[in-house]
Amino acid sequence: MDVSPELFINGVVAYQKTAALKAAVGLDLFTAIGEGAAGVEALARRTGANTHGVRILCDYLTVEGILQKANQQYALTPSSEVFLNRGSPAYMGDVIEFLASPELIKLFLDDPASYVRNGGSVGLANVAPNNPIWVKFAEAMTSFVAPTAEGLATQAAALPRPPRKILEIAAGHGIFGIAMAKALPQAEVTAVDWENVLAVAKRNAERAGVTARYRPVAGSAFEVDWGGGYDLVLLPNFLHHFDQETCTRLMKKVRASLTPQGCAWAVEFIPNEDRVSPPFPAIFAFIMLGSTPHGDAYTPSAFVEMGRAAGFRDISITPLPPSPQSLVAFTP
């Protein structure tokens, strides 16, 4: 193995890559290239930016493997064509509005040693009522989760007894519950989240044409009365915000709200038991350390433990490719 400071230096200046991507998405640079503006002059005219700035930005993105360059002309890579060109149905450039928001950048970089010392951060206030950051999350992350939500809805529709009464906890943008409502014409969906966030979910439900079967319930998932008799309870990207004891307490409430044949589905980033693989689920624990008081990326054994403590008989984990997430199914 070569001895080199490269990994250290690249990590220290990683914020510069974030800045370059924010600039490129803000200028709609990838879409401009995808539509044929390949040279510096053409890109400067299209984006309204300075030629000097465009050339340096495009060269930087080429070095980072996000663009390609040949004969002074720039082109998209296969991945940037699919995910960063607004003309693509899989476009997800908007996620930068949340993942690289000023609030998160400040939270992670201002004093990172403090949340390591404390075992967590209070800065994001992830359980504070009507925190505006979660509206930003709901508005920005729709494209990122839509393929996973649609895949789960297809699975639900194929069940021997497709669910007719569905609860989505921490609905956010509402995309998971809305996908279920679209795939299951007889299903009714109850969505729980803070009132300001539910406004985003209601708009998305209206666009999808499922408003008549979509019932928002405002409040904390730990405190609000969401009713019972559910065939399916969805917990997309929620349990990782809390410690295991708190997750178990919530899952007991979920268990009590299910029909005898019902089940709960959580969508999570799940590292292996070694906690260092696969890469993205493993590093997700650090994201939780820096942005929540006690959150974590839980291993399969941890989900089995919390599920059984909450009264579930069977807990199964299934990968959800191409995303780095997995489905945790809790069955009574």
Side-chain angles (χ1 to χ4, degrees):
M1 180 182 293
D2 292 337
V3 177
S4 170
E6 184 176 357
L7 283 175
F8 170 68
I9 297 301
N10 285 346
V12 170
V13 300
Y15 65 91
Q16 295 171 7
K17 185 187 292 188
T18 302
L21 285 167
K22 289 190 76 170
V25 170
L27 293 168
D28 221 0
L29 181 76
F30 301 109
T31 303
I33 294 173
E35 293 178 351
V40 169
E41 295 286 347
L43 285 169
R45 287 193 299 270
R46 174 66 184 270
T47 62
N50 177 274
T51 55
H52 179 71
V54 167
R55 188 261 298 167
I56 291 176
L57 175 61
C58 289
D59 285 346
Y60 179 91
L61 294 171
T62 300
V63 173
E64 293 293 341
I66 301 166
L67 290 179
Q68 303 176 87
K69 183 180 183 181
N71 300 319
Q72 305 306 314
Q73 301 287 294
Y74 299 97
L76 301 177
T77 66
S79 293
S80 56
E81 174 67 50
V82 171
F83 299 115
L84 296 175
N85 183 350
R86 288 187 186 274
S88 168
Y91 175 78
M92 60 172 59
D94 290 339
V95 304
I96 207 164
E97 296 299 324
F98 174 73
L99 295 179
S101 64
E103 296 93 334
L104 282 184
I105 290 173
K106 177 179 174 61
L107 182 63
F108 274 93
L109 293 183
D110 270 8
D111 186 9
S114 68
Y115 51 79
V116 176
R117 291 192 191 99
N118 298 334
S121 167
V122 297
L124 190 56
N126 61 301
V127 294
N130 297 307
N131 189 328
I133 191 66
W134 296 115
V135 175
K136 183 174 288 190
F137 168 86
E139 292 174 339
M141 299 298 287
T142 299
S143 59
F144 183 76
V145 304
T148 301
E150 291 164 5
L152 288 183
T154 299
Q155 288 189 44
L159 292 172
R161 294 168 56 94
R164 297 174 64 92
K165 188 174 182 182
I166 299 169
L167 171 66
E168 183 179 11
I169 295 173
H173 35 62
I175 297 302
F176 284 89
I178 291 167
M180 292 286 174
K182 290 171 66 177
L184 301 160
Q186 306 304 315
E188 296 184 353
V189 177
T190 297
V192 174
D193 212 317
W194 301 119
E195 186 172 2
N196 62 341
V197 182
L198 284 174
V200 179
K202 287 189 285 187
R203 289 198 299 271
N204 288 333
E206 185 175 358
R207 293 190 191 103
V210 299
T211 304
R213 295 182 287 119
Y214 196 80
R215 182 174 73 99
V217 175
S220 164
F222 296 93
E223 299 171 0
V224 71
D225 180 3
W226 61 49
Y230 292 103
D231 303 307
L232 176 63
V233 175
L234 301 171
L235 300 104
N237 300 302
F238 189 56
L239 295 177
H240 52 239
H241 290 96
F242 308 99
D243 60 55
Q244 192 165 331
E245 181 180 352
T246 302
C247 291
T248 300
R249 178 161 53 91
L250 180 68
M251 293 308 297
K252 287 180 179 179
K253 183 178 178 181
V254 169
R255 173 70 181 85
S257 68
L258 289 169
T259 63
Q261 295 78 32
C263 63
W265 286 1
V267 178
E268 289 288 334
F269 297 97
I270 304 178
N272 295 329
E273 297 297 335
D274 63 10
R275 291 193 172 275
V276 292
S277 62
F280 193 90
I283 66 173
F284 190 75
F286 185 79
I287 298 173
M288 291 299 96
L289 179 68
S291 62
T292 69
H294 306 291
D296 205 343
Y298 291 107
T299 62
S301 62
F303 279 112
V304 170
E305 184 178 339
M306 70 177 73
R308 288 182 178 163
F312 290 93
R313 175 179 50 84
D314 183 61
I315 299 92
S316 63
I317 297 173
T318 308
L320 294 170
S323 85
Q325 295 192 288
S326 295
L327 169 65
V328 188
F330 299 87
T331 305

